[in-house]
Amino acid sequence: MRILLLCSSFNGLTQRAWLELRRAGHDVSIELALSAEAMVEAAELAKPDLVICPFLKDRVPSALWRAHRTVIIHPGPPGDRGPSSLDWAIFDAEAEWGVTALQAVEEMDAGPIWGFRTFAMPEEAPRKSALYNGPVADAAVELVAEVAAKAGDASFVPEPLDYRSPEVRGRLRRAMRHADREFSWSESTEEILRRVRAADGSPGGRARLCELPVRVFDVYRGPELSGPAGQVAGRREGAVLVHTGDGTVWVGHVRLEQEGAIKLPAAMAMGERVAGAPERSGYSEITYDRSEGVGVVSFDFYNGAMSTEQCRRLASALRYAVAQDTRVLVVRGGEVFSNGIHLNVIDAARHPELEAWMNINAINAVCREIVGCTSQLVVASIGGNAGAGGVMMGLGADRVVVRDSVVLNPHYRTMGLFGSEFWTYVLPRRVGAERARRLTQEALPIGAVEAVEFGLADKALSGSRLDFERRVLEYAERLAADPGYDRLLAGRRQVREVDERRKPLDAYRAEELAEMSRDMFDDQNGFRAARRGFVHKVKAQATPEHLASLRELSGASAPSGTEASHM
């Protein structure tokens, strides 16, 4: 079928939907829902058999849904209606939640139901972003495939929404207001965690910190210390520890309530107001664990962004891990594996270009530790999405294992950067020079299946993130105990020696940084505007060129069977 995906942004869920539909053999085009007129015009041009809206913040115009079957993927169980579904689900501590595919009609979220999925909610309040990118996205992608299959069945008729049905347990909920997101530090830690996480990563919980109105994000339970509620009790790795009514919470990120302010690590945003707070233990973005044969460096950076300081800490942790007597090193990312350099910290710096330069050099040092490790075999554990330099960082390992729901974006072009992280070495050696060129120039997402087919990854594993991490660890343990381990390690050393003689890593680094210096200091490809647009959430004025070309790419690649994954 010809399917049009209408979306507010080409986010991870929309990318997964696009990949899933193309694998199923459909001709899929993308349009950003910039206005009612743009949506109607997109449908007139695409002439789709079906319109699917996997992530849409705006109402579908009647001129579109009256002319084309249009299905909305709503992040709530049958009967749930309203724009703040996930916020309320977390805030109200729902035990079960779901995702529903429903047909667009005049009344929002009230159309006939094409299908639904339900799932158990975590016992501890999840971050809204983690809920959305995890079980919600998994359920939504399943529903997208189901909707496409049902649309091809002439006998299928969606079920009208009927609140008398036992399956319809949701209800209409109003949009969450600013007042719903406000909290006092005198409340319990549990209440604060739930309120902030229901608003993470947008728009954040609302409070006052150090006498300033702020939006609060990225919170974790702290130690049970006594002190005046709202007082900063300590700091560590960019986070600040704040007293609550019955303990403390670590606050990872805040945004000042002032025009032009952006979300930043809390200690950076609060500046001199928290500079005198003592260093406290109990919070760390990076950990190291080991068994007899396997060492694991785990890092979990908010939204996958890696600042200069974070990169320096991670490089230090890797140096420590490499010096241990383990046989396999696992490099494990978090909810998002990595998206490369930290654009918000760069944009907020006194000299953004200089900070960008320091950041790219710091992340290169991380990549150098991974690529240059010849005393152990290295396994990259990619359980969350990755983009730009984050993908290239993982490709430096001997074995790359991805979770089957992961989306990789191995390119820099949309940010106006040439890229570094030794990508001109690690990417072509895995996929070949021609495919490396296409991946970086076409700027399209790659799913886990395609990643394995292309050679970007060695293995894709299913399961929840915890299941995935357990299976990667078991894989690493088998690798460490493999009778042929010495031969495998000797092979790694030999390859690295041969490659180094042919062209040293320093040469790749120098060539990449020569291009990056022109991008960062001379702004030869629009990095400054692209960065500011991303950081300040500037709404796109048109569907980007690389998205507008998806239809031609789909047709050029004859999307049927296994060929559907080759672009």
Side-chain angles (χ1 to χ4, degrees), residues 181-450:
R181 305 190 188 279
E182 292 175 355
F183 69 91
S184 166
W185 296 107
S186 61
E187 295 176 41
S188 71
T189 296
E190 179 63 31
E191 290 170 332
I192 292 171
L193 289 175
R194 189 164 295 281
R195 196 176 297 268
V196 173
R197 288 177 178 175
D200 209 335
S202 178
R206 294 163 61 94
R208 295 186 70 84
L209 186 60
C210 301
E211 304 304 320
L212 293 177
V214 296
R215 297 287 180 99
V216 180
F217 309 86
D218 186 26
V219 292
Y220 300 88
R221 195 180 305 275
E224 293 185 3
L225 303 175
S226 60
Q231 185 177 88
V232 173
R235 52 183 287 167
R236 181 175 172 81
E237 296 184 358
V240 297
L241 185 65
V242 184
H243 286 290
T244 66
D246 62 357
T248 61
V249 292
W250 285 104
V251 176
H253 286 74
V254 301
R255 176 166 63 83
L256 301 181
E257 291 273 28
Q258 60 187 44
E259 188 173 352
I262 59 176
K263 191 188 305 183
L264 291 168
M268 178 181 179
M270 303 309 295
E272 291 300 317
R273 296 173 183 85
V274 300
E279 283 285 325
R280 296 273 190 176
S281 60
Y283 172 90
S284 184
E285 299 169 308
I286 305 168
T287 60
Y288 177 73
D289 299 286
R290 60 165 292 166
S291 61
E292 184 176 342
V294 178
V296 182
V297 172
S298 301
F299 58 95
D300 194 352
F301 300 131
Y302 188 66
N303 290 338
M306 299 171 63
S307 69
T308 301
E309 288 304 314
Q310 288 169 319
C311 289
R312 288 171 178 167
R313 290 198 298 269
L314 182 54
S316 178
L318 288 170
R319 283 191 291 272
Y320 175 84
V322 168
Q324 305 309 301
D325 60 354
T326 49
R327 294 159 69 87
V328 176
L329 170 61
V330 176
V331 181
R332 175 196 288 165
E335 178 187 325
V336 179
F337 180 78
S338 171
N339 282 320
I341 59 178
H342 202 310
L343 298 176
N344 280 37
V345 169
I346 290 169
D347 204 67
R350 181 174 298 179
H351 301 291
E353 290 76 20
L354 179 59
E355 178 59 35
W357 184 250
M358 293 168 62
N359 202 164
I360 199 65
N361 276 277
I363 199 170
N364 278 352
V366 173
C367 298
R368 183 66 177 261
E369 292 298 325
I370 296 172
V371 174
C373 175
T374 56
S375 59
Q376 304 181 42
L377 295 177
V378 183
V379 175
S381 175
I382 304 180
N385 294 348
V391 177
M392 307 310 174
M393 182 175 74
L395 297 187
D398 299 282
R399 305 285 191 276
V400 177
V401 186
V402 297
R403 188 170 165 231
D404 62 358
S405 60
V406 157
V407 176
L408 306 178
N409 279 277
H411 56 82
Y412 306 82
R413 185 167 70 90
T414 55
M415 197 49 62
L417 293 172
F418 177 81
S420 193
E421 294 97 358
F422 300 99
W423 79 261
T424 53
Y425 171 62
V426 298
L427 185 60
R429 73 172 180 168
R430 277 191 161 266
V431 304
E434 175 55 25
R435 177 156 280 156
R437 184 195 66 78
R438 292 175 64 187
L439 289 175
T440 52
Q441 290 302 306
E442 290 175 357
L444 298 177
I446 304 297
V449 172
E450 290 83 3

